Amino acid sequence: MPASDPTDPIYEEPDLNCRHFLTCMAVWRDESKKGTEFGVSRILVRVVPEDDKGYPFKIERLFAYFQLFGTPGQYPLRVRLVRVQSERYYEETEAFEQEWAAFEVPIEDDDFTVGVGVQLRSVTFSEEGVYEFQLLWGGRTEPLARERIQALGEL
């Protein structure tokens, strides 16, 4: 097991990877079926205001589901929502929208994937456009995973 203190000469930077990252309307745990611990429902690819008021609009409850693997340890994670603005793909910028509090995820064995479902409350979309949910860990600013959805005026 690698040393956990960065000042230790045999310290190894932990390796954390995300296999899947989805935003959806529901995540549930079903331990009655071996091998299928989690279920997800209504995966988001686009959102539309549900009333005539338009933007900004809020969805009271969404979920982020992701699968992690890597060096065993405790990982502080957070989910951030940004609005993606671009003139061209290579000139994209991000406008910060929201971030949900950090939560700890344990990785106990580097040979297996850990499934995690997290509730996101009061998710607000300020205007039409492309939004990106980002999974971040520790103090890192580069996302571990990204999931884009589109906010439309109407379908």
Side-chain angles (χ1 to χ4, degrees):
M1 179 151 225
S4 59
D5 179 2
T7 61
D8 191 313
I10 61 169
Y11 171 77
E12 292 179 31
E13 180 71 20
D15 181 35
L16 181 64
N17 299 284
C18 184
R19 180 152 301 167
H20 299 286
F21 180 50
L22 301 169
T23 52
C24 53
M25 297 303 291
V27 172
W28 65 93
R29 208 176 172 107
D30 183 0
E31 295 183 19
S32 68
K33 296 180 181 156
K34 301 240 186 254
T36 57
E37 187 177 352
F38 282 95
V40 298
S41 176
R42 297 176 53 203
I43 296 169
L44 294 178
V45 292
R46 66 180 72 83
V47 293
V48 178
E50 292 185 10
D51 57 28
D52 298 353
K53 296 178 186 168
Y55 289 88
F57 82 96
K58 183 184 330 182
I59 298 176
E60 288 301 326
R61 186 177 68 178
L62 293 178
F63 291 85
Y65 173 77
F66 45 92
Q67 294 178 330
L68 302 173
F69 64 98
T71 306
Q74 285 284 119
Y75 293 92
L77 299 167
R78 63 193 193 282
V79 175
R80 178 171 58 198
L81 178 64
V82 298
R83 191 172 65 256
V84 178
Q85 301 166 324
S86 73
E87 293 298 316
R88 297 183 180 99
Y89 179 75
Y90 55 87
E91 294 177 356
E92 287 184 348
T93 60
E94 296 173 355
F96 176 79
E97 294 285 320
Q98 284 177 275
E99 188 166 292
W100 289 270
F103 47 93
E104 293 275 328
V105 174
I107 303 289
E108 296 174 3
D109 187 330
D110 59 358
D111 291 332
F112 296 102
T113 301
V114 174
V116 179
V118 177
Q119 187 177 111
L120 308 176
R121 302 287 295 177
S122 299
V123 182
T124 303
F125 297 92
S126 58
E127 62 186 4
E128 288 185 49
V130 176
Y131 288 79
E132 185 173 88
F133 288 90
Q134 300 175 342
L135 180 64
L136 299 116
W137 70 287
R140 291 163 176 80
T141 56
E142 184 60 30
L144 181 61
R146 302 166 185 265
E147 175 69 12
R148 286 189 176 185
I149 66 169
Q150 190 172 22
L152 301 172
E154 60 184 57
L155 284 178

